[in-house]
Amino acid sequence: DTAVSQTPKYLVTQMGNDKSIKCEQNLGHDTMYWYKQDSKKFLKIMFSYNNKELIINETVPNRFSPKSPDKAHLNLHINSLELGDSAVYFCASSQEIVNAEQYFGPGTRLTVT
Amino acid sequence: AQTVTQSQPEMSVQEAETVTLSCTYDTSESDYYLFWYKQPPSRQMILVIRQEAYKQQNATENRFSVNFQKAAKSFSLKISDSQLGDAAMYFCAYSSPFYGGATNKLIFGTGTLLAVQP
């Protein structure tokens, strides 16, 4: 069984569109994260949620809106997509917020044309 | 703010040989966690090894071991008996264990691309 899953794995869309990426974890973890990996492979935190509560919002444009309907899910909605949003987006989870051993999903490659 | 530096963008090793990947970090905290993650071409992020700063003993996981030098803020990864499947991008990462605020996140280095030659 996949521990952290993301859908879709690939997403190609045009500038100005709105899109969502879904993430689910079946590890029973309390904390979930979104990371962005740019074209130079640099990984940076975007958001983290603990028990459905937003903990970190790392200076991300407000076009990005995470939503956590329950502890096992953390979705990422992006409005008015821009070329610079093209990247790989990773979802991750950890058992506790203070134990930062994180387990990653397979990533979603977003291409904005 | 904490930073993580990986000064080797690319490394190469012969199969069955040993290679060491370097990582340095900057922090004013006394307690924290350090990690090495592996990202093969499949792009899946895989945890390789973890070190708690309060533990003096270096962590080991099979062929993977670390050399943790707290005073020097250095955290290198040694891969012994390198295998073709070890070829990947390796990321060093830092995390603070303290609850709340901007410290509860992984801060990554820029990565080292490891090639394994047959």
Side-chain angles (χ1 to χ4, degrees):
Chain A
D1 285 343
T2 303
V4 183
S5 60
Q6 293 179 230
T7 53
K9 289 202 172 109
Y10 298 93
L11 185 53
V12 181
T13 188
Q14 292 184 328
M15 284 175 57
N17 285 347
D18 302 339
K19 290 294 179 184
S20 291
I21 305 171
K22 296 186 177 181
C23 177
E24 176 180 3
Q25 53 95 3
N26 61 9
L27 297 167
H29 288 170
D30 290 337
T31 308
M32 297 183 72
Y33 310 79
W34 279 109
Y35 287 86
K36 179 180 180 180
Q37 186 174 41
D38 63 23
S39 59
K40 295 184 179 177
K41 302 288 189 181
F42 185 64
L43 275 152
K44 189 172 181 187
I45 184 81
M46 299 175 69
F47 301 103
S48 81
Y49 270 74
N50 180 249
N51 280 321
K52 302 194 297 176
E53 179 187 352
L54 179 66
I55 301 298
I56 295 173
N57 181 341
E58 194 76 2
T59 61
V60 177
N62 57 16
R63 297 183 296 104
F64 290 78
S65 53
K67 284 189 172 51
S68 181
D70 54 58
K71 278 190 349 178
H73 296 85
L74 179 61
N75 304 323
L76 182 65
H77 187 75
I78 316 170
N79 291 325
S80 304
L81 278 154
E82 300 177 358
L83 292 176
D85 298 331
S86 295
V88 179
Y89 292 84
F90 285 96
C91 178
S93 73
S94 63
Q95 177 65 45
E96 298 170 0
I97 196 168
V98 294
N99 177 352
E101 184 168 328
Q102 296 180 18
Y103 296 86
F104 284 77
T108 296
R109 180 178 292 280
L110 171 64
T111 303
V112 183
T113 62
Chain B
Q2 296 88 4
T3 59
V4 177
T5 302
Q6 293 180 251
S7 58
Q8 305 155 317
E10 296 182 10
M11 292 281 285
S12 182
V13 63
Q14 291 291 127
E15 202 173 359
E17 296 294 309
T18 296
V19 65
T20 298
L21 308 183
S22 300
C23 173
T24 58
Y25 57 94
D26 188 27
T27 183
S28 57
E29 295 174 328
S30 59
D31 195 16
Y32 45 85
Y33 295 91
L34 296 165
F35 303 87
W36 280 97
Y37 279 88
K38 168 185 176 181
Q39 187 178 38
S42 67
R43 83 168 180 245
Q44 177 72 52
M45 293 289 289
I46 302 164
L47 178 64
V48 175
I49 201 164
R50 154 190 167 148
Q51 175 82 44
E52 290 91 341
Y54 63 87
K55 290 187 177 179
Q56 292 187 339
Q57 187 172 5
N58 289 326
T60 300
E61 287 287 342
N62 300 315
R63 298 182 295 108
F64 299 87
S65 61
V66 298
N67 183 4
F68 173 49
Q69 302 289 329
K70 190 173 183 179
K73 296 179 182 174
S74 170
F75 182 61
S76 60
L77 174 70
K78 186 172 83 170
I79 307 173
S80 304
D81 186 25
S82 296
Q83 300 175 0
L84 295 177
D86 294 333
M89 181 76 90
Y90 286 82
F91 292 97
C92 179
Y94 170 101
S95 180
S96 166
F98 299 107
Y99 181 90
T103 56
N104 285 296
K105 60 188 177 185
L106 286 175
I107 300 170
F108 286 92
T110 50
T112 297
L113 183 61
L114 178 66
V116 181
Q117 308 299 330

